[in-house]
Amino acid sequence: MSQSDLQDIRHFLVMSDLQGQRLICLNATSYSLGRNPKNSIVIYSQAVSRHHAMLLRVTSPESNLFWFRIIDGGLNGQRSTNGVYVNGQRVLSRDLRHGDLVEFGVQAVKADYFALTNLSNAQCEDLLQAEDPVLAFLDFNRGEHVTVIAEPIASLESSEASILRLASFPELMEMPVVEIEFGGRITYLNPAALNRFPQLRTQGQHHPLLQKLVPFTPASEPSQTWYRTVQVDDRYFEQTIHCLDESELLRIFMTDVTARHQAEQEVSQRDRLMRAMAEATQCLLTEMNHTAALAKVLAILGEATEVDRICIYENHPDPEQGHLAMSLRTEWVRPGIPPLLPQAQSQNRNYTALGLQDCYQTLLHGQMIQGSRSDSSPALQAFLEQDGIQSILGQGLMCGLEFWGHISLQTCQQPRQWSRQECDLLLTLASSLSAALARHHAEADIRYRATHDVLTGLANRALFTEHLSEALQHTRSQQQQLAVMFLDLDRFKDINDRLGHSFGDRLLKAVTHRLQSLIVAPNLLARWGGDEFTILMYPIADESTILAIGHQILSAFDQPFQLQHHEIHTSASLGIALTQPNNHYRLTGDQLIRQADVALYKAKNLGRNTCSLYQPQDGSGSADLELERDLRYALERGQLEVFYQPQVNLLTQGISGLEALLRWRHPSRGMVSPGLFIPMAEERGWITEIGEWVLREACTQARCWQTANLPSVVMSVNLSLRQFRQPNLVETVHHILRSSGLDPRYLELEITESVAVEDLSFTQHVLKELHDLGVRLSIDDFGTGYSSLNRLQLLPLHTLKIDQSFIRDLAHNAKVSHIVAAIVTLGRSLGLDLIAEGVEQPEQAQFLKSIQCHTAQGFLFHRPMSADAVTAILRETQGHSCLLSPVL
């Protein structure tokens, strides 16, 4: 019988009590009856118990028919006081039939039960809303209406045990309940099961709820319970299956868990995607190779999201039309899906030509694009169709503040509705990739800056040395020769001095541009430093070939350079070192570079604007390596000495001070030039330790002269750049002064002009602290750097030393004399003492005296001398005016 047939059967009670008669239509599955107002059906009589009886709907296991069972008391076993009577007979429970009379303890309280068919909904409503529903119903019942349940269907009387069993009976449950025999026949469906699964009875064991349950073979245990989840259409149900072995039945309780299942699916998907995102992020952070990391990340997320393709596009100008375009850079593709990267259409895709300007703007503003072939703009649909895409989810990628491109998830086999978790994942992925892009670009920029010259863009020393090492290995394996060239611009310093360093930088750029046209891969052009360039050439056939190349390179300087309306004529010198078959396997890259350097200076000695090939008799650069090794231990071996050069007052010819100068007495080479070993000590970082030793020696010696009652003079000590930058410089000076006992006013510390102005605020801070100690401060080599007296007046200085290059040119250049005079005048106006360095001619001393520069230092008066020699002079002049005769 269909659901509509079931609705045609109507069950009624005509209730009679002290309030009169009333008509009750039984639509619910259960009713409680009694005088308590909380009962479903209230009986108005004090002779009736508070909870007197219950009505339960009972469904036939063979059909959709149902009837009502009346029970004395409740399902908990508690009975009424006066009992329940059906047709005059007291019962504990009874299945009612049409026409039964139910009495509740006394005849005055009773109910007539009716089961009618062929009664429509409208008729039923009319009866219930009639002025006298009972009278209308009785009149209607006297008509020709067929009763459905005219005979008893169940036993007229039920035992106490059956009533208790009814307490667990599922008729009242909203949960669907099914009982089936082991063989598969359905023995019971509760009303909830009938309503929820109307096809269950007809489909039987073929219904999804019962599949794989029958035929059932009992287990060894007498009873058991297990659980499973089944899907019916788009809903999910959790089944609790009880095996009733003695009755050979399976009783199945079902709960709709669709919402929970969907939530669990979402949680499972979220957890899966979060794990994948965590793994991808870890990969981006730990994998040093950016390309390899990107491939792993896309593979991880492609599997996690179960998409068919992931693509990363980069934005760039269209090379033909100039509009903004995108090109596919990286992709991950599921097996069986055609890749896009090999296809020409994946490159230079113009946003404007494709009509995707709206998509570009959406991505630019940080929003996602979602689309498929059925619900997108015509332009996007055409794009998707061209690439074989069903659905797409895209998010923009940033590189710092630049909109770099975008990443998209794609399905190619069927359309897809993107979940919130997938959108969140793509947003997080795009953020991580954007950070990785920025980091990759920053690292690439750092690597470029570490291996390239900032001014010219050429390879620097580090990259040149690396390429040279690789080229040596290659040429050795191929039994070929290679050459290293050292190129230096002739008289570049003059150009810098005359036109300024910015002009010199432009000249270096122009030289680079001209040389690059001659040096092609695998050869390499590098800037070694300053105006020096190195060139790597291979393979080379012989000496004549490399010399011809060298002359060709020098010929690039035959034409002048046009720079800012200036026509600059310059030349270059070139030194060449060529590997030889007999020494190829023994030479290192450093040795080749040193040999090329030796050849370069040989070319300069030959008159510049020429090239020279290194020959074995020129002496190898390994000599410098030995000197460097000896310098490392020179201090601890006691080979270093401090010499002193007097500073003379031109008016009195008396000694006003001494400058401490470092000397190296090599055990085999004799006195080594300071111009050779001091730059070496600077480069290797040993100058700090050596400089501290010089300062201590000078202060100790000055104090010794004072304790010997010799004239007290100011001791000047030079501070190197490295030494000046030491964070503990002031503390070191203070400690040396205290340990030596020298009064700070007799110590003058000198820094060069270039050191002073390199970081003016730092210099101000350090000099102030030194000034607070009481020491004198001096600027050495003034006039050779970029500073001015206007800037130097910000520093707490006492002395300005005019560089010897100005003094040397006094007799040859009238302009220089004016410059020196101006320096002296301005220096004196600032209250500074002036000392001229490099005075070698009486005329120079006379000129300085005439412009009131009263202190000079140079060979005209004395060369640097040992402490013993200075002691002798001081003793000799003790008690006099310390006059010194010029030493010519």
Side-chain angles (χ1 to χ4, degrees), residues 277-287:
M277 191 63 237
E279 185 179 354
T281 302
Q282 181 71 11
C283 182
L284 286 173
L285 292 175
T286 58
E287 177 62 58

Side-chain angles (χ1 to χ4, degrees), residues 338-412:
L340 295 177
L341 203 53
Q343 303 179 29
Q345 69 187 43
S346 68
Q347 305 300 309
N348 298 322
R349 310 182 82 166
N350 191 304
Y351 283 101
T352 302
L354 293 172
L356 298 178
Q357 300 94 324
D358 291 342
C359 290
Y360 175 82
Q361 290 297 325
T362 299
L363 295 170
L364 174 64
H365 290 89
Q367 300 173 350
M368 287 187 176
I369 54 170
Q370 298 187 47
S372 65
R373 295 190 192 179
S374 59
D375 62 354
S376 301
S377 65
L380 183 56
Q381 287 182 24
F383 177 83
L384 299 179
E385 186 173 353
Q386 185 179 21
D387 288 352
I389 302 171
Q390 292 289 341
S391 297
I392 189 170
L393 179 66
Q395 177 67 40
L397 296 175
M398 303 296 292
C399 183
L401 300 177
E402 176 190 0
F403 177 37
W404 184 87
H406 68 273
I407 180 173
S408 62
L409 307 180
Q410 303 172 4
T411 63
C412 302

Side-chain angles (χ1 to χ4, degrees), residues 262-462:
Q262 291 175 345
E264 289 174 349
Q265 289 291 100
E266 290 180 0
V267 170
S268 175
Q269 183 190 44
R270 183 195 64 194
D271 291 345
R272 184 178 72 252
L273 296 181
M274 287 180 65
R275 287 194 299 271
M277 191 63 237
E279 185 179 354
T281 302
Q282 181 71 11
C283 182
L284 286 173
L285 292 175
T286 58
E287 177 62 58
M288 301 303 294
N289 187 315
H290 179 73
T291 303
L294 205 54
K296 290 180 182 179
V297 167
L298 297 190
I300 291 169
L301 297 173
E303 295 295 338
T305 56
E306 298 178 343
V307 296
D308 296 320
R309 190 189 292 136
I310 304 180
C311 294
I312 294 180
Y313 283 88
E314 180 182 2
N315 296 330
H316 60 86
D318 189 323
E320 296 181 358
Q321 302 181 20
H323 297 293
L324 194 64
M326 59 178 172
S327 289
L328 181 61
R329 298 304 187 208
T330 308
E331 71 173 341
W332 172 86
V333 180
R334 186 174 297 281
I337 303 299
L340 295 177
L341 203 53
Q343 303 179 29
Q345 69 187 43
S346 68
Q347 305 300 309
N348 298 322
R349 310 182 82 166
N350 191 304
Y351 283 101
T352 302
L354 293 172
L356 298 178
Q357 300 94 324
D358 291 342
C359 290
Y360 175 82
Q361 290 297 325
T362 299
L363 295 170
L364 174 64
H365 290 89
Q367 300 173 350
M368 287 187 176
I369 54 170
Q370 298 187 47
S372 65
R373 295 190 192 179
S374 59
D375 62 354
S376 301
S377 65
L380 183 56
Q381 287 182 24
F383 177 83
L384 299 179
E385 186 173 353
Q386 185 179 21
D387 288 352
I389 302 171
Q390 292 289 341
S391 297
I392 189 170
L393 179 66
Q395 177 67 40
L397 296 175
M398 303 296 292
C399 183
L401 300 177
E402 176 190 0
F403 177 37
W404 184 87
H406 68 273
I407 180 173
S408 62
L409 307 180
Q410 303 172 4
T411 63
C412 302
Q413 297 174 318
Q414 57 185 3
R416 180 160 174 175
Q417 292 294 325
W418 303 101
S419 68
R420 179 175 57 83
Q421 289 82 3
E422 289 167 335
C423 293
D424 292 344
L425 170 77
L426 185 60
L427 186 62
T428 305
L429 173 62
S431 177
S432 297
L433 287 177
S434 295
L437 274 171
R439 186 172 64 252
H440 173 67
H441 279 248
E443 290 172 353
D445 184 61
I446 291 172
R447 286 194 299 270
Y448 180 85
R449 290 177 179 271
T451 57
H452 289 77
D453 176 58
V454 177
L455 176 65
T456 63
L458 295 176
N460 62 8
R461 289 191 185 190

Side-chain angles (χ1 to χ4, degrees), residues 144 223 330 501:
E144 297 180 356
S223 63
T330 308
H501 284 265

Side-chain angles (χ1 to χ4, degrees), residues 47 50 102 107 130 192 232 288 363 380 413 491 560 603 615 690 732:
R50 291 176 59 83
V102 181
Q107 292 183 352
V232 180
M288 301 303 294
L363 295 170
L380 183 56
Q413 297 174 318
R491 299 181 180 87
Q615 300 296 339
I690 294 174
T732 300

